[in-house]
Amino acid sequence: MLMFTGHDTTRERMQAAFDEKRVVIATINNDPRSDNREGLPDTHAYTVLGFDPAADTVELRNPHAKNEHDGPDGQPLDGKEDGKFTLSMEEFNRLFSNVAYGGAPFASKE
C-alpha cells in the first residue's frame, strides 16, 4: 500500500519513512510540453535515497542511471551523469509532483 502526501507534510512523512526503513519514491508528472523540468524527464519515477533535515535536502536516484537535475549549462550540477543528485527541499517540491511511501520496511544490509 502506498501513501501520498502534499508538500506541507513531505518533510515529516519522509523522515518517518526513512526512520522506519520504508521505500520512498518521487514522481514527475508535468505537462510534456513544459521546458521547466531542468534535465529531468517527464512522467518518470525516482528513488529517494535520503533526506537530510539539517540541510533540508533530498537525495534522489534515477533508476536509469542518467537524466539528473541540470545546471544552467545543461550539465549535471554535481559534474557526474550517474543519475544521483541532491536537491533542496524547495527545489524538490517545485519539480516533483508526488511522493509515495512504501508500507513495508525494506530489508537492511546489516
Side-chain angles (χ1 to χ4, degrees), residues 36-52:
N36 192 28
R37 293 185 304 266
E38 301 174 34
L40 303 175
D42 190 40
T43 60
H44 191 59
Y46 285 76
T47 306
V48 179
L49 299 175
F51 169 61
D52 182 344

Side-chain angles (χ1 to χ4, degrees), residues 3-37:
M3 176 174 46
F4 293 93
T5 62
H7 296 313
D8 58 337
T9 57
T10 301
R11 287 176 183 88
E12 174 184 309
R13 297 270 173 96
M14 197 175 288
Q15 185 62 56
F18 282 109
D19 288 347
E20 297 165 5
K21 297 187 178 358
R22 292 186 287 135
V23 173
V24 181
I25 297 169
T27 61
I28 298 175
N29 296 309
N30 294 323
D31 181 336
R33 296 165 293 189
S34 171
D35 61 357
N36 192 28
R37 293 185 304 266

Side-chain angles (χ1 to χ4, degrees), residues 46-94:
Y46 285 76
T47 306
V48 179
L49 299 175
F51 169 61
D52 182 344
D56 203 29
T57 58
V58 179
E59 183 182 5
L60 297 118
R61 178 185 170 274
N62 183 337
H64 298 291
K66 60 182 179 178
N67 296 109
E68 56 189 81
H69 189 249
D70 292 340
D73 61 357
Q75 298 299 312
L77 289 173
D78 63 3
K80 297 180 281 186
E81 180 67 69
D82 60 1
K84 293 181 185 178
F85 57 100
T86 301
L87 296 175
S88 69
M89 183 58 81
E90 181 180 328
E91 291 173 303
F92 177 80
N93 285 335
R94 180 175 54 81

